[in-house]
Amino acid sequence: MSSKKQSKNANRKHHGKAPHGYGGIRPAKGLGQNFLIDEGVIEEIAEGSGAAEDALVIEIGPGAGALTIPLAERSGYLAAIEIDENLIEPLRVKTFGMDNVEIIHADILAVNLDELIESRLSEYGLKNVRVVGNLPYYITTPIIMKLLETAHGIDSITVMMQKEVGDRIAAEPGTRAAGAITYPVYYHASVRKIADVPRECFYPAPKVDSVVLRLDIREKPAAETKNTDLMFKCVKAGFSQRRKTLLNSLSAMEGMDKETINSALERAGIDQSRRAETLTLTEFAKIADILQEA
Ligand code: SAM
């Protein structure tokens, strides 16, 4: 897709005022409120999210509702969770008359998602669960991890994030683009890019460009291990000192020493001078399984 198409509204000058349709809403900076104003991007996200008549869609941070209406038009039922009390009434007004929309005033990190998902699926006879969010950048990672690690029944997560974070998340494990976040995401989901979103597509424009990724939850995790926590501890230790050799970075883990790591790497057939970013998820799983027995 050309960036011309993406940002067909992007060159408008707003002179600090909210664009038409925002009903005088003043974006709250502290809540990461950068509202989408590019119709092309809004359509791409709604279309790419998997929202459909047999789906329960959970929208995180609906803001002024840019995505809420196009998502609701496609979905069986839409639950939109917004933390900012000032936006609840405008959202209810905007979605008035749409009987498949529920606006929930809550912090997504405090919501019992399992309960929400179970009750709405059975009440409305829906089959799929699609999560969609244009999140504040500072909580992107904790929210994605909460969704991946604790929620059940989610089929896909379509999420806007800062481009640099997106590049890490979408990277293949074992490549230079990989980071610590790459591995847990890859373990749970396959990742693809839905859209590149230049900063001008928002009001107000943030300082960085964004990307929208779709994470499709795997039926089975991408690697087998006896100890998932230990595997991700190894990933974290490896990447917290990514320029160091595995022998040095993994020895810094609590309760570990060079001798234990040296022999574990030897048993796993992994050269101790390699760096974390060269390891596949399966190799981290192998190390964790050997350390678990040690
Ligand atoms: N989805 C809208 C759009 O695309 O124009 C708004 C996006 S804005 C980047 C992020 C939204 O998330 C804001 O409306 C903000 O108030 C809301 N938000 C921030 N933290 C939240 C949280 N912990 N739980 C739910 N919503 C949150």
Side-chain angles (χ1 to χ4, degrees):
M1 172 199 35
S2 74
S3 62
K4 221 171 176 181
K5 182 186 160 213
Q6 285 169 14
S7 36
K8 66 182 175 210
N9 295 334
N11 293 326
R12 282 191 199 152
K13 293 257 183 302
H14 301 296
H15 303 291
K17 283 192 200 127
H20 178 70
Y22 279 75
I25 290 169
R26 283 184 174 214
K29 231 180 169 183
L31 290 172
Q33 290 179 358
N34 300 95
F35 299 134
L36 262 175
I37 52 171
D38 187 300
E39 292 298 331
V41 171
I42 291 167
E43 276 300 301
E44 264 182 290
I45 299 172
E47 206 45 45
S49 68
E53 285 198 348
D54 61 355
L56 162 66
V57 175
I58 299 175
E59 186 188 4
I60 306 174
L67 280 164
T68 313
I69 305 285
L71 285 173
E73 283 168 351
R74 288 166 170 84
S75 33
Y77 192 79
L78 177 117
I81 301 165
E82 171 58 56
I83 199 171
D84 185 353
E85 192 176 3
N86 294 324
L87 297 176
I88 301 302
E89 198 48 37
L91 280 165
R92 294 206 169 118
V93 169
K94 198 161 186 172
T95 54
F96 184 76
M98 299 183 90
D99 56 10
N100 66 335
V101 179
E102 176 181 9
I103 307 293
I104 301 171
H105 177 212
D107 175 347
I108 182 65
L109 292 170
V111 171
N112 182 338
L113 281 173
D114 281 350
E115 204 177 283
L116 179 76
I117 290 171
E118 245 182 80
S119 62
R120 303 308 184 274
L121 280 184
S122 68
E123 195 171 341
Y124 299 100
L126 301 166
K127 289 200 188 98
N128 300 306
V129 182
R130 309 287 179 185
V131 176
V132 185
N134 171 13
L135 312 170
Y137 296 130
Y138 56 86
I139 49 166
T140 307
T141 309
I143 290 179
I144 292 178
M145 292 321 296
K146 170 177 167 150
L147 294 171
L148 290 175
E149 285 176 345
T150 64
H152 299 95
I154 296 175
D155 295 283
S156 67
I157 305 167
T158 300
V159 63
M160 172 95 68
M161 63 193 82
Q162 188 175 334
K163 188 181 173 309
E164 289 69 22
V165 178
D167 288 345
R168 283 263 187 256
I169 287 183
E172 194 70 29
T175 65
R176 286 194 79 178
I181 183 77
T182 310
Y183 293 78
V185 172
Y186 184 86
Y187 178 76
H188 292 285
S190 64
V191 181
R192 67 187 157 98
K193 185 157 80 176
I194 300 284
D196 282 306
V197 188
R199 64 195 76 183
E200 300 82 18
C201 296
F202 298 90
Y203 169 79
K207 291 197 174 76
V208 292
D209 294 324
S210 295
V211 70
V212 179
L213 297 182
R214 175 163 153 178
L215 281 52
D216 281 288
I217 311 303
R218 299 182 192 277
E219 277 181 21
K220 223 170 84 192
E224 274 181 40
T225 172
K226 294 181 189 119
N227 190 334
T228 321
D229 282 353
L230 184 55
M231 176 174 76
F232 290 130
K233 268 189 193 147
C234 292
V235 170
K236 219 169 155 193
F239 279 92
S240 68
Q241 309 187 64
R242 65 185 291 158
R243 293 194 190 287
K244 289 199 174 173
T245 63
L246 279 175
L247 178 63
N248 286 327
S249 60
L250 299 188
S251 307
M253 282 195 294
E254 210 184 303
M256 295 293 164
D257 53 50
K258 283 202 171 160
E259 213 180 297
T260 313
I261 297 297
N262 191 14
S263 101
L265 290 173
E266 222 172 85
R267 278 183 61 197
I270 295 169
D271 189 324
Q272 51 154 279
S273 67
R274 282 172 66 186
R275 284 165 178 75
E277 68 198 29
T278 70
L279 261 63
T280 62
L281 181 66
T282 307
E283 286 177 312
F284 273 114
K286 222 171 179 180
I287 296 171
D289 285 356
I290 292 167
L291 287 177
Q292 146 110 349
E293 287 165 17

